[in-house]
Amino acid sequence: IQEDTGVEYAFDEISGVWTAQNSGNGKTGITGATVTLGSALTYNGSEQTKAVSSVVIGTTTLTADTDYTVQGNKGTEIGDYIMYIIGKGSYTGIIAESWSIGQGVGSVSASPDSLTLTEGGDAGTSALTVTGDGEITAESSAEDVATVAVSGTTVTVTPVAEGSATVTVTLAETEHYSGGTDTISVTVEAAAEDENQGE
């Protein structure tokens, strides 16, 4: 065993090469470094990269791509992953860090969120902004006042009789996204009386 600046080396008689047995050729090992990862990731349908916010040894903050590289920090699907932080330059060793991609937050939003219609008149529509891949359904609280139908991201409300109703739009939960709901307030006004009626 050869001693050199605190690093131990072993000599291979066949190859004639000295090999570092601990931190490696005078380099600093990163195994005990404190690693801080970036914010949590949730599914969005695209490949994402889990950030490494910092790698710190004692009071020294290492520099990405100079002192270390990162592998295994990209993913698309929901699940658990392992990334590897690999020493580079003056540093050696490998750190394994667990990370994950969680279920995305689903949402549905109707615009406009209120409709004023006329009894016996034309239907009204509301456009939906959706985050998620679940089925979209809609229900009227008073079908004797207004009925509702969904086609794609359009809600169509048909007036039936004078009164008020609340339409609840629901986005179903799926493997990738949580569900969500929104409401549309509907007012159906009485039809205007025909001024010539009875003449």
Side-chain angles (χ1 to χ4, degrees):
I1 300 294
Q2 173 185 329
E3 295 288 335
D4 181 13
T5 63
V7 182
E8 294 183 343
Y9 296 81
F11 182 74
D12 186 330
E13 295 182 358
I14 297 177
S15 64
V17 175
W18 288 93
T19 303
Q21 298 300 290
N22 49 17
S23 61
N25 297 320
K27 298 181 179 181
T28 301
I30 67 169
T31 305
T34 299
V35 177
T36 302
L37 301 183
S39 57
L41 300 179
T42 57
Y43 180 86
N44 65 8
S46 300
E47 184 179 68
Q48 301 183 75
T49 300
K50 181 68 172 183
V52 177
S53 298
S54 65
V55 178
V56 180
I57 299 177
T59 59
T60 302
T61 299
L62 306 192
T63 302
D65 297 324
T66 298
D67 300 325
Y68 65 90
T69 59
V70 181
Q71 295 182 5
N73 64 332
K74 297 180 183 296
T76 302
E77 287 298 319
I78 292 173
D80 297 322
Y81 297 84
I82 297 177
M83 71 167 68
Y84 297 95
I85 299 168
I86 305 168
K88 181 181 179 181
S90 298
Y91 297 88
T92 188
I94 299 175
I95 301 172
E97 289 286 331
S98 299
W99 63 282
S100 63
I101 296 177
Q103 184 185 48
V105 178
S107 66
V108 58
S109 177
S111 180
D113 60 4
S114 64
L115 294 171
T116 300
L117 308 174
T118 302
E119 179 182 2
D122 293 336
T125 60
S126 184
L128 303 178
T129 300
V130 179
T131 300
D133 52 8
E135 180 183 7
I136 301 171
T137 57
E139 183 178 2
S140 171
S141 65
E143 292 193 343
D144 56 343
V145 173
T147 59
V148 61
V150 179
S151 177
T153 57
T154 300
V155 175
T156 301
V157 180
T158 302
V160 177
E162 182 181 3
S164 61
T166 299
V167 171
T168 301
V169 182
T170 301
L171 171 69
E173 180 178 8
T174 65
E175 176 187 357
H176 289 131
Y177 290 95
S178 62
T181 61
D182 197 15
T183 58
I184 304 168
S185 298
V186 179
T187 300
V188 178
E189 299 177 340
E193 295 185 4
D194 189 342
E195 295 179 357
N196 298 320
Q197 186 174 357
E199 292 185 4

